PDB file of all heavy atoms in Angstrom:
ATOM      1  N   LEU A   4      -9.456  32.626   5.378  1.00  0.00           N
ATOM      2  CA  LEU A   4     -10.357  31.514   5.129  1.00  0.00           C
ATOM      3  C   LEU A   4     -11.062  31.699   3.764  1.00  0.00           C
ATOM      4  O   LEU A   4     -12.232  31.471   3.665  1.00  0.00           O
ATOM      5  CB  LEU A   4     -11.363  31.344   6.221  1.00  0.00           C
ATOM      6  CG  LEU A   4     -10.808  30.726   7.569  1.00  0.00           C
ATOM      7  CD1 LEU A   4     -11.880  30.748   8.604  1.00  0.00           C
ATOM      8  CD2 LEU A   4     -10.323  29.318   7.300  1.00  0.00           C
ATOM      9  N   GLU A   5     -10.362  32.216   2.795  1.00  0.00           N
ATOM     10  CA  GLU A   5     -10.968  32.450   1.469  1.00  0.00           C
ATOM     11  C   GLU A   5     -11.322  31.091   0.854  1.00  0.00           C
ATOM     12  O   GLU A   5     -10.447  30.222   0.629  1.00  0.00           O
ATOM     13  CB  GLU A   5      -9.948  33.211   0.549  1.00  0.00           C
ATOM     14  CG  GLU A   5     -10.583  33.936  -0.585  1.00  0.00           C
ATOM     15  CD  GLU A   5     -10.970  32.966  -1.730  1.00  0.00           C
ATOM     16  OE1 GLU A   5     -10.091  32.164  -2.065  1.00  0.00           O
ATOM     17  OE2 GLU A   5     -12.069  33.060  -2.207  1.00  0.00           O
ATOM     18  N   PRO A   6     -12.621  30.861   0.627  1.00  0.00           N
ATOM     19  CA  PRO A   6     -13.085  29.543   0.198  1.00  0.00           C
ATOM     20  C   PRO A   6     -12.374  28.909  -0.964  1.00  0.00           C
ATOM     21  O   PRO A   6     -11.970  27.787  -0.917  1.00  0.00           O
ATOM     22  CB  PRO A   6     -14.589  29.776  -0.093  1.00  0.00           C
ATOM     23  CG  PRO A   6     -14.968  30.963   0.739  1.00  0.00           C
ATOM     24  CD  PRO A   6     -13.740  31.806   0.734  1.00  0.00           C
ATOM     25  N   GLN A   7     -12.136  29.702  -2.029  1.00  0.00           N
ATOM     26  CA  GLN A   7     -11.547  29.148  -3.267  1.00  0.00           C
ATOM     27  C   GLN A   7     -10.087  28.719  -2.964  1.00  0.00           C
ATOM     28  O   GLN A   7      -9.601  27.701  -3.467  1.00  0.00           O
ATOM     29  CB  GLN A   7     -11.599  30.146  -4.357  1.00  0.00           C
ATOM     30  CG  GLN A   7     -11.198  29.587  -5.728  1.00  0.00           C
ATOM     31  CD  GLN A   7     -12.059  28.405  -6.127  1.00  0.00           C
ATOM     32  OE1 GLN A   7     -13.268  28.424  -5.898  1.00  0.00           O
ATOM     33  NE2 GLN A   7     -11.458  27.426  -6.736  1.00  0.00           N
ATOM     34  N   ALA A   8      -9.383  29.495  -2.164  1.00  0.00           N
ATOM     35  CA  ALA A   8      -7.948  29.140  -1.846  1.00  0.00           C
ATOM     36  C   ALA A   8      -7.950  27.835  -1.059  1.00  0.00           C
ATOM     37  O   ALA A   8      -7.066  26.969  -1.326  1.00  0.00           O
ATOM     38  CB  ALA A   8      -7.357  30.257  -1.022  1.00  0.00           C
ATOM     39  N   VAL A   9      -8.811  27.656  -0.118  1.00  0.00           N
ATOM     40  CA  VAL A   9      -8.880  26.378   0.654  1.00  0.00           C
ATOM     41  C   VAL A   9      -9.251  25.260  -0.242  1.00  0.00           C
ATOM     42  O   VAL A   9      -8.696  24.193  -0.132  1.00  0.00           O
ATOM     43  CB  VAL A   9      -9.881  26.542   1.845  1.00  0.00           C
ATOM     44  CG1 VAL A   9     -10.018  25.223   2.554  1.00  0.00           C
ATOM     45  CG2 VAL A   9      -9.424  27.628   2.833  1.00  0.00           C
ATOM     46  N   LEU A  10     -10.197  25.440  -1.110  1.00  0.00           N
ATOM     47  CA  LEU A  10     -10.696  24.366  -2.013  1.00  0.00           C
ATOM     48  C   LEU A  10      -9.591  23.937  -2.877  1.00  0.00           C
ATOM     49  O   LEU A  10      -9.413  22.720  -3.160  1.00  0.00           O
ATOM     50  CB  LEU A  10     -11.913  24.865  -2.779  1.00  0.00           C
ATOM     51  CG  LEU A  10     -12.548  23.817  -3.709  1.00  0.00           C
ATOM     52  CD1 LEU A  10     -13.002  22.630  -2.914  1.00  0.00           C
ATOM     53  CD2 LEU A  10     -13.692  24.410  -4.492  1.00  0.00           C
ATOM     54  N   GLU A  11      -8.749  24.888  -3.384  1.00  0.00           N
ATOM     55  CA  GLU A  11      -7.637  24.514  -4.255  1.00  0.00           C
ATOM     56  C   GLU A  11      -6.564  23.719  -3.525  1.00  0.00           C
ATOM     57  O   GLU A  11      -5.944  22.829  -4.122  1.00  0.00           O
ATOM     58  CB  GLU A  11      -7.022  25.785  -4.854  1.00  0.00           C
ATOM     59  CG  GLU A  11      -7.894  26.507  -5.849  1.00  0.00           C
ATOM     60  CD  GLU A  11      -7.349  27.811  -6.304  1.00  0.00           C
ATOM     61  OE1 GLU A  11      -6.239  28.155  -5.837  1.00  0.00           O
ATOM     62  OE2 GLU A  11      -7.896  28.480  -7.170  1.00  0.00           O
ATOM     63  N   LEU A  12      -6.394  23.952  -2.195  1.00  0.00           N
ATOM     64  CA  LEU A  12      -5.419  23.195  -1.448  1.00  0.00           C
ATOM     65  C   LEU A  12      -5.997  21.854  -1.016  1.00  0.00           C
ATOM     66  O   LEU A  12      -5.242  20.918  -0.801  1.00  0.00           O
ATOM     67  CB  LEU A  12      -5.042  24.010  -0.202  1.00  0.00           C
ATOM     68  CG  LEU A  12      -4.108  25.217  -0.481  1.00  0.00           C
ATOM     69  CD1 LEU A  12      -3.963  26.037   0.806  1.00  0.00           C
ATOM     70  CD2 LEU A  12      -2.759  24.728  -0.986  1.00  0.00           C
ATOM     71  N   CYS A  13      -7.323  21.793  -0.909  1.00  0.00           N
ATOM     72  CA  CYS A  13      -7.945  20.513  -0.538  1.00  0.00           C
ATOM     73  C   CYS A  13      -8.228  19.683  -1.769  1.00  0.00           C
ATOM     74  O   CYS A  13      -9.366  19.688  -2.269  1.00  0.00           O
ATOM     75  CB  CYS A  13      -9.237  20.814   0.250  1.00  0.00           C
ATOM     76  SG  CYS A  13      -9.011  21.636   1.841  1.00  0.00           S
ATOM     77  N   HIS A  14      -7.267  19.022  -2.288  1.00  0.00           N
ATOM     78  CA  HIS A  14      -7.416  18.294  -3.523  1.00  0.00           C
ATOM     79  C   HIS A  14      -8.440  17.167  -3.410  1.00  0.00           C
ATOM     80  O   HIS A  14      -9.039  16.798  -4.462  1.00  0.00           O
ATOM     81  CB  HIS A  14      -6.051  17.675  -3.965  1.00  0.00           C
ATOM     82  CG  HIS A  14      -4.988  18.710  -4.183  1.00  0.00           C
ATOM     83  ND1 HIS A  14      -5.018  19.658  -5.164  1.00  0.00           N
ATOM     84  CD2 HIS A  14      -3.832  18.944  -3.514  1.00  0.00           C
ATOM     85  CE1 HIS A  14      -3.957  20.445  -5.116  1.00  0.00           C
ATOM     86  NE2 HIS A  14      -3.207  20.012  -4.108  1.00  0.00           N
ATOM     87  N   ASP A  15      -8.670  16.670  -2.211  1.00  0.00           N
ATOM     88  CA  ASP A  15      -9.666  15.629  -2.094  1.00  0.00           C
ATOM     89  C   ASP A  15     -11.029  16.137  -1.735  1.00  0.00           C
ATOM     90  O   ASP A  15     -11.973  15.365  -1.493  1.00  0.00           O
ATOM     91  CB  ASP A  15      -9.207  14.603  -1.026  1.00  0.00           C
ATOM     92  CG  ASP A  15      -8.974  15.202   0.322  1.00  0.00           C
ATOM     93  OD1 ASP A  15      -9.285  16.423   0.487  1.00  0.00           O
ATOM     94  OD2 ASP A  15      -8.466  14.540   1.232  1.00  0.00           O
ATOM     95  N   GLY A  16     -11.186  17.490  -1.627  1.00  0.00           N
ATOM     96  CA  GLY A  16     -12.485  18.056  -1.347  1.00  0.00           C
ATOM     97  C   GLY A  16     -12.906  18.061   0.072  1.00  0.00           C
ATOM     98  O   GLY A  16     -14.087  18.267   0.393  1.00  0.00           O
ATOM     99  N   CYS A  17     -11.948  17.669   0.978  1.00  0.00           N
ATOM    100  CA  CYS A  17     -12.315  17.615   2.425  1.00  0.00           C
ATOM    101  C   CYS A  17     -11.378  18.510   3.208  1.00  0.00           C
ATOM    102  O   CYS A  17     -10.175  18.535   2.988  1.00  0.00           O
ATOM    103  CB  CYS A  17     -12.136  16.200   2.921  1.00  0.00           C
ATOM    104  SG  CYS A  17     -13.169  15.017   2.087  1.00  0.00           S
ATOM    105  N   ALA A  18     -11.937  19.243   4.134  1.00  0.00           N
ATOM    106  CA  ALA A  18     -11.130  20.084   5.016  1.00  0.00           C
ATOM    107  C   ALA A  18     -11.416  19.748   6.452  1.00  0.00           C
ATOM    108  O   ALA A  18     -12.622  19.772   6.871  1.00  0.00           O
ATOM    109  CB  ALA A  18     -11.368  21.589   4.767  1.00  0.00           C
ATOM    110  N   LEU A  19     -10.391  19.436   7.209  1.00  0.00           N
ATOM    111  CA  LEU A  19     -10.550  19.085   8.616  1.00  0.00           C
ATOM    112  C   LEU A  19     -10.056  20.302   9.463  1.00  0.00           C
ATOM    113  O   LEU A  19      -8.890  20.632   9.412  1.00  0.00           O
ATOM    114  CB  LEU A  19      -9.785  17.859   8.968  1.00  0.00           C
ATOM    115  CG  LEU A  19      -9.676  17.476  10.451  1.00  0.00           C
ATOM    116  CD1 LEU A  19     -11.021  17.172  11.022  1.00  0.00           C
ATOM    117  CD2 LEU A  19      -8.737  16.301  10.667  1.00  0.00           C
ATOM    118  N   LEU A  20     -10.921  20.988  10.180  1.00  0.00           N
ATOM    119  CA  LEU A  20     -10.557  22.136  10.943  1.00  0.00           C
ATOM    120  C   LEU A  20     -10.643  21.803  12.424  1.00  0.00           C
ATOM    121  O   LEU A  20     -11.626  21.228  12.940  1.00  0.00           O
ATOM    122  CB  LEU A  20     -11.478  23.322  10.677  1.00  0.00           C
ATOM    123  CG  LEU A  20     -11.269  24.014   9.326  1.00  0.00           C
ATOM    124  CD1 LEU A  20     -11.804  23.279   8.173  1.00  0.00           C
ATOM    125  CD2 LEU A  20     -11.826  25.436   9.340  1.00  0.00           C
ATOM    126  N   ASP A  21      -9.544  22.159  13.124  1.00  0.00           N
ATOM    127  CA  ASP A  21      -9.488  21.886  14.615  1.00  0.00           C
ATOM    128  C   ASP A  21     -10.220  22.985  15.331  1.00  0.00           C
ATOM    129  O   ASP A  21      -9.705  24.014  15.628  1.00  0.00           O
ATOM    130  CB  ASP A  21      -7.996  21.813  14.994  1.00  0.00           C
ATOM    131  CG  ASP A  21      -7.783  20.978  16.231  1.00  0.00           C
ATOM    132  OD1 ASP A  21      -8.648  20.184  16.552  1.00  0.00           O
ATOM    133  OD2 ASP A  21      -6.714  21.113  16.829  1.00  0.00           O
ATOM    134  N   MET A  22     -11.471  22.793  15.675  1.00  0.00           N
ATOM    135  CA  MET A  22     -12.292  23.809  16.207  1.00  0.00           C
ATOM    136  C   MET A  22     -12.292  23.863  17.734  1.00  0.00           C
ATOM    137  O   MET A  22     -12.750  24.845  18.312  1.00  0.00           O
ATOM    138  CB  MET A  22     -13.759  23.682  15.711  1.00  0.00           C
ATOM    139  CG  MET A  22     -13.906  24.089  14.274  1.00  0.00           C
ATOM    140  SD  MET A  22     -13.758  25.888  13.977  1.00  0.00           S
ATOM    141  CE  MET A  22     -12.133  26.043  13.411  1.00  0.00           C
ATOM    142  N   LYS A  23     -11.778  22.809  18.389  1.00  0.00           N
ATOM    143  CA  LYS A  23     -11.515  22.862  19.804  1.00  0.00           C
ATOM    144  C   LYS A  23     -10.316  22.013  20.021  1.00  0.00           C
ATOM    145  O   LYS A  23     -10.348  20.774  19.912  1.00  0.00           O
ATOM    146  CB  LYS A  23     -12.679  22.357  20.660  1.00  0.00           C
ATOM    147  CG  LYS A  23     -12.390  22.391  22.191  1.00  0.00           C
ATOM    148  CD  LYS A  23     -13.531  21.822  23.005  1.00  0.00           C
ATOM    149  CE  LYS A  23     -13.160  21.864  24.493  1.00  0.00           C
ATOM    150  NZ  LYS A  23     -12.059  20.977  24.847  1.00  0.00           N
ATOM    151  N   GLY A  24      -9.202  22.603  20.416  1.00  0.00           N
ATOM    152  CA  GLY A  24      -7.983  21.840  20.559  1.00  0.00           C
ATOM    153  C   GLY A  24      -7.847  21.260  21.965  1.00  0.00           C
ATOM    154  O   GLY A  24      -8.619  21.550  22.899  1.00  0.00           O
ATOM    155  N   VAL A  25      -6.801  20.429  22.161  1.00  0.00           N
ATOM    156  CA  VAL A  25      -6.585  19.835  23.458  1.00  0.00           C
ATOM    157  C   VAL A  25      -6.187  20.973  24.465  1.00  0.00           C
ATOM    158  O   VAL A  25      -6.376  20.806  25.692  1.00  0.00           O
ATOM    159  CB  VAL A  25      -5.437  18.802  23.382  1.00  0.00           C
ATOM    160  CG1 VAL A  25      -4.993  18.309  24.760  1.00  0.00           C
ATOM    161  CG2 VAL A  25      -5.924  17.598  22.551  1.00  0.00           C
ATOM    162  N   ASP A  26      -5.705  22.090  23.975  1.00  0.00           N
ATOM    163  CA  ASP A  26      -5.398  23.202  24.868  1.00  0.00           C
ATOM    164  C   ASP A  26      -6.648  23.953  25.264  1.00  0.00           C
ATOM    165  O   ASP A  26      -6.569  24.941  26.047  1.00  0.00           O
ATOM    166  CB  ASP A  26      -4.460  24.196  24.161  1.00  0.00           C
ATOM    167  CG  ASP A  26      -4.944  24.685  22.848  1.00  0.00           C
ATOM    168  OD1 ASP A  26      -6.107  24.394  22.461  1.00  0.00           O
ATOM    169  OD2 ASP A  26      -4.243  25.478  22.181  1.00  0.00           O
ATOM    170  N   GLY A  27      -7.780  23.505  24.783  1.00  0.00           N
ATOM    171  CA  GLY A  27      -9.070  24.145  25.194  1.00  0.00           C
ATOM    172  C   GLY A  27      -9.500  25.305  24.340  1.00  0.00           C
ATOM    173  O   GLY A  27     -10.628  25.790  24.526  1.00  0.00           O
ATOM    174  N   MET A  28      -8.611  25.800  23.477  1.00  0.00           N
ATOM    175  CA  MET A  28      -8.915  26.944  22.672  1.00  0.00           C
ATOM    176  C   MET A  28      -9.897  26.646  21.537  1.00  0.00           C
ATOM    177  O   MET A  28      -9.772  25.565  20.924  1.00  0.00           O
ATOM    178  CB  MET A  28      -7.656  27.560  22.122  1.00  0.00           C
ATOM    179  CG  MET A  28      -6.645  28.007  23.168  1.00  0.00           C
ATOM    180  SD  MET A  28      -7.309  29.180  24.366  1.00  0.00           S
ATOM    181  CE  MET A  28      -7.574  30.601  23.299  1.00  0.00           C
ATOM    182  N   LEU A  29     -10.834  27.540  21.271  1.00  0.00           N
ATOM    183  CA  LEU A  29     -11.794  27.375  20.212  1.00  0.00           C
ATOM    184  C   LEU A  29     -11.365  28.121  18.949  1.00  0.00           C
ATOM    185  O   LEU A  29     -10.741  29.187  19.055  1.00  0.00           O
ATOM    186  CB  LEU A  29     -13.166  27.883  20.688  1.00  0.00           C
ATOM    187  CG  LEU A  29     -13.726  27.278  21.939  1.00  0.00           C
ATOM    188  CD1 LEU A  29     -15.059  27.892  22.295  1.00  0.00           C
ATOM    189  CD2 LEU A  29     -13.887  25.757  21.776  1.00  0.00           C
ATOM    190  N   GLY A  30     -11.695  27.600  17.810  1.00  0.00           N
ATOM    191  CA  GLY A  30     -11.294  28.227  16.525  1.00  0.00           C
ATOM    192  C   GLY A  30     -12.379  29.109  15.961  1.00  0.00           C
ATOM    193  O   GLY A  30     -12.333  29.383  14.744  1.00  0.00           O
ATOM    194  N   TYR A  31     -13.324  29.509  16.751  1.00  0.00           N
ATOM    195  CA  TYR A  31     -14.422  30.338  16.295  1.00  0.00           C
ATOM    196  C   TYR A  31     -14.822  31.261  17.440  1.00  0.00           C
ATOM    197  O   TYR A  31     -14.403  31.100  18.598  1.00  0.00           O
ATOM    198  CB  TYR A  31     -15.603  29.539  15.803  1.00  0.00           C
ATOM    199  CG  TYR A  31     -16.338  28.828  16.937  1.00  0.00           C
ATOM    200  CD1 TYR A  31     -17.484  29.351  17.482  1.00  0.00           C
ATOM    201  CD2 TYR A  31     -15.802  27.617  17.485  1.00  0.00           C
ATOM    202  CE1 TYR A  31     -18.134  28.722  18.563  1.00  0.00           C
ATOM    203  CE2 TYR A  31     -16.484  26.961  18.542  1.00  0.00           C
ATOM    204  CZ  TYR A  31     -17.647  27.535  19.075  1.00  0.00           C
ATOM    205  OH  TYR A  31     -18.261  26.867  20.084  1.00  0.00           O
TER     206      TYR A  31
END
């Protein structure tokens, strides 16, 4: 989750992270 790497990939400046999936698993 290196910030600069994510920012470079997010050309529109927005990142959508799936923090609780339908499978019930949490991303944190």
Side-chain angles (χ1 to χ4, degrees):
L4 286 175
E5 201 282 313
Q7 191 57 40
V9 175
L10 184 59
E11 289 176 358
L12 287 171
C13 296
H14 299 296
D15 57 8
C17 301
L19 172 63
L20 285 77
D21 206 17
M22 287 289 100
K23 180 184 179 295
V25 172
D26 58 2
M28 301 303 293
L29 304 179
Y31 69 99

